[in-house]
Amino acid sequence: MTRRANEIRAVETGIGLLLSAGFAPADAARLYLAFVDTVLGHAAMDAAFHALTRQQRDADQRAWRHVYQALEPAAYPALTAVRVELPGMADTSFEAAVELLPEALAARAPAGPEHDSGRTV
């Protein structure tokens, strides 16, 4: 928490958008926190990965290409079914997660203006 003006404006904007979409105050606060925590968590994981040495990053990427590719199909049928996709697991999922968040919020949004939490939309 920086407690500074830009952070406060960002929180006001985010929660305000959720309230104007019809979410109840408790839901708006909780969902805003989930959104922000997801974004910040991904940023932290990506930063931590990039802080590793080149050798450590390469070893992580090789594991998806070699270790996971050599697993016994009978013991790991799900991993075998997606074997060709597993090297992509070394990439960031930030864009996919950020893409899913608005879709999830839209799916949970109250229907119609009767759920506007008393705010003008």
Side-chain angles (χ1 to χ4, degrees):
M1 298 291 303
T2 67
R3 299 176 298 281
R4 294 192 174 155
N6 286 338
E7 175 186 79
I8 292 168
R9 278 192 292 275
V11 174
E12 168 68 16
T13 299
I15 290 177
L17 287 168
L18 292 166
L19 289 171
S20 68
F23 288 99
D27 292 335
R30 183 178 51 81
L31 293 169
Y32 175 78
L33 177 62
F35 183 87
V36 169
D37 281 357
T38 299
V39 170
L40 293 176
H42 273 74
M45 288 187 300
D46 287 353
F49 178 76
H50 289 291
L52 296 173
T53 66
R54 171 49 91 185
Q55 293 83 5
Q56 290 169 315
R57 289 192 309 267
D58 289 347
D60 285 353
Q61 291 171 334
R62 277 193 309 275
W64 291 111
R65 287 193 309 271
H66 301 292
V67 173
Y68 278 81
Q69 300 299 310
L71 294 174
E72 179 61 40
Y76 301 98
L79 293 173
T80 300
V82 299
R83 180 176 279 162
V84 69
E85 304 299 329
L86 290 175
M89 298 286 280
D91 299 332
T92 181
S93 65
F94 179 79
E95 287 182 32
V98 170
E99 193 175 285
L100 289 170
L101 289 170
E103 294 173 15
L105 289 171
R108 292 180 139 207
E114 67 275 7
H115 298 287
D116 71 359
S117 301
R119 293 190 56 138
T120 304
V121 284

